Amino acid sequence: MTTDLHNPDRRGFLKCMTWAGSAMVWTVAGGIPRSHVIGQAEAAETGFSFAQVSDSHLGFDKPVNANVAGTFQEALGHVTSMADKPAFLIHTGDITHLSTAEQFDTGAQLLTATKLQTYTVPGEHDILEDNGKSYLNRYGKGTHGDGWYSFNAQGVHFIGLVNVVNLQGNGLGDLGNAQLEWLEKDVKGLPSSTPIVVFAHVPLWIVYQDWGWGTKDGGQALSYLKRFGSVTVLNGHIHQVMQKIEGQVAFHTARSTAFPQGVPGVAKGPGPYPVPAGELKNFLGTARISLVSTKSPLAIVDTPLAG
Amino acid sequence: MKTLRSLLNGRRDLLQSRAVRSGLLLACLLLPAIARSDDSAQLKIDNFKFGPEKLTITKGTQVTWTNQDDIPHSIVLNALGVRSKALDTDKTFSYQFDKAGTFAYICGLHPFMHGQVVVK
């Protein structure tokens, strides 16, 4: 494992979960690490920001959290009650648990109530019916292929990718050639100074191969973004916060608003992870991402539902 | 004398119980692995694993998977073009294997989960 904190290698990532270097700092409150960029979080309060929610799993009803609609609503409430309201919302997938119409309806209802523009990408739980049509009928308008797209906001180029279709025996997420070709073209004309935000459900980098927590051709996608000065990659799927910085690329995964999952190397499997009564909300939450006018990655502040 | 007889009886009991035990053990080892052709076989999904991971059956056996996890799983038998719906907790999926061969399968939601059915 390299000891260069500015360039931690991929294999060393898990050991670097409590990494503190460059401009990123971890503070632990109530057992929950929160991250922000030193000295910039406050400055960003007045700037452009957006919020990320993930893995609401509407329809999940097991004892770990029998009220996932309630905790999702609470998370959205945190976002809308911010003094400096985020410009929009990104949901990084697994809106529903089983892709049923009823679960999508609940999601649409709760998201619409925020009155915030919402951008989504599907998780594998959102495309369980009709080859993903139940997702695309609601969220596929103006997208390509299985639902990928890009848009610009406040000078930032946002790219929503789909890596949950055609999961193969290697166990990892997959983007596929059609999407990779589209991505290469999509960023071709952009000046290298454009800040890039990529969001997808499964982590684009290999977090933990044994549990399929990574994207097989994620490296190929990132190679098209190498020349850009600031790239932020936002993912969900693993129901816990993990971060690393590699060169100009900041990787970040969000908490779920429904239930926590086990920690790789500690838990015996990747399923819902039971937590002591009364502590659930420490493990669920939202992320707020602010644009700061420096060359460093965007500032990300993770907020648990409780605390 | 009484002591000797009881000792001998005890020895016979021990032998009998050992025979019974090893018979049971043999049955336990063989039964789940080889199912009769007119039989059905059960597979469990527990903690993101198929159990047993390798199941040997004879042609015509119907295999039933039961999901015991809190998370949905599915069965994808690529070689046979078979794909189950997502199975929520306690839901089952059955498939009858009529062709001999070795069939690998995965969970469509968690493709790192691998299983194998050997049909003889």
Side-chain angles (χ1 to χ4, degrees), chain A residues 61-233:
Chain A
D61 59 359
K62 303 299 179 292
V64 178
N65 182 3
N67 184 15
V68 293
T71 47
F72 185 41
Q73 192 170 23
E74 195 174 330
L76 294 172
H78 279 216
V79 173
T80 50
S81 64
M82 283 174 185
D84 188 14
K85 212 169 167 180
F88 54 82
L89 196 60
I90 285 180
H91 193 307
T92 39
D94 284 356
I95 300 166
T96 71
H97 193 54
L98 291 166
S99 311
T100 67
E102 190 193 353
Q103 292 166 5
F104 274 117
D105 283 346
T106 308
Q109 227 169 34
L110 294 173
L111 288 168
T112 309
T114 64
K115 297 193 173 80
L116 286 171
Q117 167 81 40
T118 305
Y119 296 95
T120 67
V121 282
E124 72 281 8
H125 286 258
D126 297 320
I127 55 163
L128 295 174
E129 298 292 328
D130 310 324
N131 290 321
K133 277 188 202 132
S134 41
Y135 171 83
L136 286 175
N137 287 345
R138 286 168 195 261
Y139 297 107
K141 201 181 166 194
T143 67
H144 310 266
D146 298 310
W148 59 81
Y149 58 100
S150 66
F151 63 94
N152 296 304
Q154 303 279 322
V156 180
H157 189 66
F158 289 83
I159 304 166
L161 298 179
V162 181
N163 54 3
V164 292
V165 182
N166 294 325
L167 298 178
Q168 297 296 318
N170 59 41
L172 296 170
D174 186 53
L175 293 161
N177 286 336
Q179 188 168 202
L180 286 169
E181 279 168 26
W182 169 85
L183 174 66
E184 190 176 16
K185 277 186 206 149
D186 181 68
V187 298
K188 210 165 197 173
L190 295 173
S192 300
S193 57
T194 312
I196 304 279
V197 174
V198 183
F199 56 102
H201 180 63
V202 177
L204 275 190
W205 84 102
I206 306 294
V207 174
Y208 195 59
Q209 184 140 9
D210 290 359
W211 292 352
W213 287 4
T215 301
K216 189 182 66 176
D217 46 7
Q220 181 72 28
L222 293 167
S223 73
Y224 304 141
L225 307 174
K226 260 186 187 156
R227 67 184 174 88
F228 293 95
S230 162
V231 179
T232 305
V233 180

